[in-house]
Amino acid sequence: VCRSNKSPWVCLTCSSVHCGRYVNGHAKKHYEDAQISMTNHKKTEKQEKVQHTVCMDCSSYSTYCYRCDDFVVNDTKLGLVQKVREHLQNLENSAFTSDRHRKRKLLENSSLNSKLLKVNGSTTALCATGLRNLGNTCFMNAILQSLSNIQQFCCYFKELPAVELRNGKTAGRRTYHTRSQGDNNVSLVEEFRKTLCALWQGSQTAFSPESLFYVVWKIMPNFRGYQQQDAHEFMRYLLDHLHLELQGGFNGVPRSVILQENANLSASNKCCINGASTVVTAIFGGILQNEVNCLICGTESRKFDPFLDLSLDIPSQFRNKRTKNQESGPMCTLRDCLRSFTDLEELDETELYMCHKCKKKQKSTKKFWIQKLPKVLCLHLKRFHWTAYLRNKVDTYVEFPLRGLDMKCYLLEPENSGPDSCLYDLVAVVVHHGSGVGSGHYTAYAAHEGRWFHFNDSTVTLTDEETVGKAKAYILFYVERQAKPGAEKL
């Protein structure tokens, strides 16, 4: 209808192709029009049972039911959905093989035209590059786009030297991995570096992170396969493995040189997780103080725990799903979640504390203080929780500030901090769309050079602060506000 080539969805009932809801929403309108026409005809009982309008994303091959308003995992008894998926893949592969050079030229020409935006009356280049979905890899794409907009973190990797993996016949020249290769000589840091370099250079509309995904498969077995994964779990695994690899040195750069660079970058950083400090701990690393008090004898136990992110519960009083008909009562805010995390709480019977003075497990209280704040504060809202046999999603909207998040009241020693040293500004938000952790879709919002962008796999669109503020955040990335030059610290 709109002649868009972005986010094509094919209706599995009538085979017509329309754009997705993040373009102009014609696939959804097609469903709504079909429902109207259905009401004008007398339906048999059998037709009512099977009337589910299912469509397929022609890029990621995931299926979605508009009637259920969720992604579909199962197939028909005859495996018809998989047959359509294989047919689309064959079409794409044959088209790519026969017209590779023609498509490349068209993409180069069209990308220059399609990436021009009008900002304040003048035309400017979009520069943003999307990440292609390799089969339910939106969880990875959302995290990569978020990290690519954290300048201190991103610049460190982009400035690293390119790696040349030497192995037999390929010695002396760079090797680009694919998942079909059985090469064990892989570097997560190098593939992560190449992916970051491909973003924000404006030379293409979408980049395929296939080489990075291959390395993820090799070193993170949890993420093998094409099922939907948890974006927060992936982020933790990614940061942990980057941290470990950077400690060992890579690309012929001696370990001592890497550690010296890390030491220079984080001279004041005392947060070391699993060994020496790296750019990961220097940027994301903070320290918690965990206080446990025995309620019988009053003995206090203190423990310091390093962290890369804070996982916050959404308080139970806000967990009922908010709908248009259920807007009464207070709105949940990020401050409510932080307060719930740091407030004094009494441990229940299943978490009795082993008191060293009483020599047995006793009832106790627990409280968290932040002993050291990180440069980038990553806050994960616990939207998925287990109830009996199911993992449900908490769909509550949590209000969060786009700038000026003040963390001073959660500090162990706030008097030692300057007036502006505890203020954080939002740089990226990861959002989960859908009802379950094993289904749904991930997108990300991120700020780049004063403008907000929405990253939906290969599609990148310019957006505004109001839209970002309405998002049901899953992961929030806040960057420490830099002190103004010449400003004196109290």
Side-chain angles (χ1 to χ4, degrees):
V1 176
C2 59
R3 302 293 178 185
S4 173
N5 62 350
K6 294 179 179 179
S7 187
W9 290 78
V10 58
C11 175
L12 299 189
T13 304
C14 66
S15 299
S16 60
V17 180
H18 296 89
C19 66
R21 65 178 68 195
Y22 294 108
V23 185
N24 292 309
H26 285 119
K28 186 179 180 183
K29 189 176 186 303
H30 172 67
Y31 157 72
E32 292 168 348
D33 292 344
Q35 292 301 106
I36 294 171
S37 64
M38 282 296 293
T39 57
N40 297 331
H41 296 82
K42 194 172 181 180
K43 296 180 287 185
T44 65
E45 188 180 346
K46 186 177 179 182
Q47 283 176 320
E48 280 189 27
K49 285 182 180 177
V50 298
Q51 191 56 40
H52 286 264
T53 305
V54 180
C55 56
M56 181 179 288
D57 185 340
C58 298
S59 300
S60 66
Y61 310 121
S62 55
T63 53
Y64 188 86
C65 178
Y66 276 105
R67 183 173 176 181
C68 302
D69 195 25
D70 205 352
F71 285 84
V72 182
V73 180
N74 57 313
D75 203 341
T76 64
K77 289 181 180 179
L78 298 175
L80 296 176
V81 174
Q82 184 57 28
K83 286 180 181 178
V84 174
R85 186 177 286 123
E86 290 171 358
H87 182 60
L88 285 173
Q89 287 175 326
N90 290 335
L91 283 173
E92 185 183 26
N93 291 337
S94 61
F96 183 75
T97 305
S98 60
D99 295 326
R100 180 181 295 178
H101 298 295
R102 184 180 64 85
K103 282 179 75 178
R104 184 179 295 168
K105 272 200 167 185
L106 283 172
L107 277 173
E108 286 172 356
N109 294 332
S110 64
S111 65
L112 293 172
N113 296 325
S114 64
K115 290 195 166 194
L116 294 177
L117 289 175
K118 282 194 173 181
V119 179
N120 297 329
S122 61
T123 304
T124 181
L126 178 59
C127 296
T129 300
L131 286 169
R132 192 174 176 196
N133 194 311
L134 306 175
N136 280 330
T137 56
C138 55
F139 68 92
M140 178 177 76
N141 293 347
I143 294 299
L144 292 175
Q145 293 286 15
S146 298
L147 295 177
S148 77
N149 286 283
I150 299 171
Q151 293 305 313
Q152 262 186 301
F153 185 69
C154 180
C155 289
Y156 177 89
F157 285 94
K158 291 204 288 190
E159 290 171 5
L160 288 173
V163 66
E164 290 185 4
L165 299 174
R166 301 176 180 275
N167 52 347
K169 294 179 181 178
T170 59
R173 54 193 179 86
R174 191 173 299 171
T175 26
Y176 292 90
H177 299 292
T178 64
R179 275 169 280 161
S180 60
Q181 289 178 300
D183 185 12
N184 290 319
N185 188 12
V186 296
S187 168
L188 180 64
V189 171
E190 168 61 5
E191 295 305 336
F192 185 66
R193 184 196 68 80
K194 287 196 293 190
T195 302
L196 293 180
C197 287
L199 302 176
W200 292 110
Q201 60 184 13
S203 61
Q204 52 191 334
T205 53
F207 174 75
S208 178
E210 189 169 349
S211 296
L212 175 62
F213 197 41
Y214 164 73
V215 176
V216 168
W217 277 31
K218 293 287 287 185
I219 65 176
M220 304 180 201
N222 296 25
F223 298 96
R224 289 175 187 169
Y226 293 97
Q227 64 273 25
Q228 184 64 278
Q229 302 281 0
D230 186 283
H232 174 250
E233 187 180 356
F234 171 75
M235 182 195 76
R236 286 306 312 268
Y237 270 86
L238 178 69
L239 293 178
D240 286 345
H241 279 82
L242 288 171
H243 172 66
L244 290 172
E245 192 172 314
L246 284 169
Q247 287 183 83
F250 69 103
N251 183 26
V253 180
R255 182 174 183 272
S256 58
V257 175
I258 291 289
L259 294 181
Q260 182 58 44
E261 287 183 14
N262 293 330
N264 294 338
L265 185 139
S266 58
S268 61
N269 183 64
K270 305 297 180 186
C271 176
C272 299
I273 300 170
N274 298 327
S277 175
T278 67
V279 67
V280 175
T281 53
I283 299 294
F284 292 96
I287 300 174
L288 281 176
Q289 178 175 292
N290 183 359
E291 289 181 357
V292 179
N293 279 277
C294 176
L295 289 176
I296 307 302
C297 69
T299 300
E300 184 182 87
S301 173
R302 293 181 182 179
K303 182 184 175 186
F304 291 97
D305 296 315
F307 68 87
L308 294 178
D309 69 313
L310 298 178
S311 290
L312 312 177
D313 278 307
I314 295 174
S316 55
Q317 66 265 32
F318 299 109
R319 284 190 186 174
N320 291 330
K321 186 176 180 180
R322 294 175 65 85
T323 63
K324 288 183 180 179
N325 301 324
Q326 190 185 350
E327 292 295 333
S328 59
M331 181 180 290
C332 183
T333 67
L334 187 60
R335 186 169 290 276
D336 291 320
C337 300
L338 284 164
R339 193 180 294 118
S340 174
F341 178 78
T342 55
D343 274 357
L344 186 73
E345 66 169 314
E346 185 173 333
L347 300 175
D348 58 32
E349 295 291 334
T350 61
E351 299 178 293
L352 291 178
Y353 164 66
M354 183 65 189
C355 179
H356 299 292
K357 189 174 181 180
C358 298
K359 304 296 182 185
K360 62 177 181 178
K361 290 186 176 181
Q362 301 281 31
K363 283 190 173 182
S364 57
T365 59
K366 180 180 75 172
K367 179 171 176 60
F368 282 121
W369 292 98
I370 298 176
Q371 199 266 337
K372 177 188 176 297
L373 283 165
K375 295 184 188 305
V376 174
L377 179 64
C378 178
L379 300 175
H380 160 236
L381 298 178
K382 293 184 186 176
R383 291 201 174 272
F384 302 106
H385 64 102
W386 289 99
T387 56
Y389 305 104
L390 297 172
R391 199 178 185 191
N392 293 333
K393 182 181 177 184
V394 180
D395 207 34
T396 305
Y397 170 73
V398 178
E399 189 178 47
F400 54 90
L402 268 70
R403 54 180 65 85
L405 173 65
D406 193 349
M407 295 295 293
K408 180 174 278 190
C409 59
Y410 310 109
L411 277 179
L412 181 64
E413 298 173 338
E415 65 277 3
N416 294 336
S417 303
D420 296 323
S421 62
C422 302
L423 293 179
Y424 285 81
D425 297 322
L426 190 70
V427 70
V429 187
V430 173
V431 182
H432 178 269
H433 311 267
S435 58
V437 66
S439 61
H441 183 58
Y442 287 100
T443 64
Y445 293 96
H448 187 83
E449 295 180 353
R451 293 185 292 170
W452 280 95
F453 294 86
H454 184 212
F455 298 92
N456 180 24
D457 288 335
S458 56
T459 304
V460 184
T461 53
L462 196 65
T463 187
D464 53 40
E465 290 187 354
E466 186 181 359
T467 303
V468 176
K470 290 178 181 177
K472 290 184 179 178
Y474 181 46
I475 307 172
L476 296 153
F477 296 89
Y478 282 93
V479 176
E480 182 183 41
R481 185 178 291 181
Q482 298 297 314
K484 293 179 181 178
E488 292 184 4
K489 289 188 176 181
L490 295 177

